[in-house]
């Protein structure tokens, strides 16, 4: 058997295996876990497990932090997090920031869309944080010097 045929056979086998794995993953039901989450104050009470994990991953990516950036460790168990705890100020700040972006997207972005006549983007954590715990603020350029005689 030539090398080209071997490569083709191996490629086809890998493709079939990937398709089978994808199909199996799609056939699994979405984890709802509704009612199992405690202390949700700004996220929907009926959020699914998958939606919550996706949301949290978005936060960690946008802020360049890990879960312990907002969530406190369980007493006596530094490697386990107490997701319901409000012990860390960062969690309270995160809730405020979620409400702020929700307010901007609900009450201000639609006004920009009407004025500009085109679709405006929604704001999210990445808009300001760009992978940093604290937004990096670039100062505006200096005002131009007045021209003589103007």
């Amino acid at each position: 058997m030539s090398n080209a045929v071997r490569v083709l056979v191996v490629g086809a086998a890998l493709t079939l295996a990937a398709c089978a794995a994808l199909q199996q993953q799609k056939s699994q039901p979405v984890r709802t876990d509704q009612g199992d989450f405690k202390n949700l104050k700004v996220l929907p009470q009926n959020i699914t497990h998958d939606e919550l994990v996706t949301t949290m991953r978005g936060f960690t990516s946008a802020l360049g932090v890990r879960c312990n950036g907002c969530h406190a460790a369980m007493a006596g168990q530094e490697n386990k997090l107490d997701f319901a705890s409000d012990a860390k100020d960062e969690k309270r700040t995160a809730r405020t920031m979620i409400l702020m972006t929700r307010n901007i997207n609900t009450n201000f972005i639609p006004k920009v869309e009407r004025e500009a006549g085109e679709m405006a983007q929604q704001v999210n954590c990445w808009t300001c944080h760009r992978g940093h715990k604290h937004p990096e603020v670039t100062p505006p350029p200096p005002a131009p010097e007045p021209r003589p005689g103007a």
Side-chain angles (χ1 to χ4, degrees):
M1 190 183 291
S2 72
N3 283 339
V5 172
R6 284 187 187 126
V7 169
L8 185 60
V9 169
V10 170
L14 289 174
T15 302
L16 286 173
C19 289
L22 186 59
Q23 188 63 34
Q24 181 182 12
Q25 183 180 16
K26 283 182 178 180
S27 68
Q28 293 178 358
V30 173
R31 287 180 59 185
T32 56
D33 292 342
Q34 293 177 0
D36 289 348
F37 303 120
K38 297 174 179 43
N39 201 19
L40 292 179
K41 294 184 179 177
V42 297
L43 295 176
Q45 294 296 318
N46 64 345
I47 193 168
T48 67
H49 177 271
D50 292 345
E51 290 168 333
L52 182 62
V53 169
T54 299
T55 299
M56 292 298 135
R57 285 182 179 157
F59 295 155
T60 60
S61 175
L63 277 71
V65 297
R66 308 244 341 150
C67 301
N68 63 0
C70 293
H71 296 287
M74 290 188 139
Q77 298 180 13
E78 291 302 313
N79 293 334
K80 199 165 187 185
L81 297 176
D82 182 357
F83 293 109
S85 171
D86 286 335
K88 292 186 83 167
D89 289 335
E90 291 87 347
K91 186 173 181 181
R92 289 186 289 277
T93 300
R95 286 183 175 135
T96 301
M97 300 300 280
I98 292 167
L99 292 172
M100 178 192 70
T101 57
R102 190 178 294 164
N103 183 28
I104 292 169
N105 289 328
T106 302
N107 298 314
F108 296 97
I109 295 296
K111 293 176 183 176
V112 172
E113 290 175 353
R114 280 195 303 271
E115 293 172 7
E118 59 188 44
M119 190 68 161
Q121 290 185 341
Q122 301 277 297
V123 298
N124 57 38
C125 304
W126 182 261
T127 304
C128 298
H129 285 269
R130 307 237 182 238
H132 301 281
K133 187 174 181 178
H134 300 286
E136 292 186 357
V137 180
T138 304
E145 296 288 327
R147 293 188 343 210

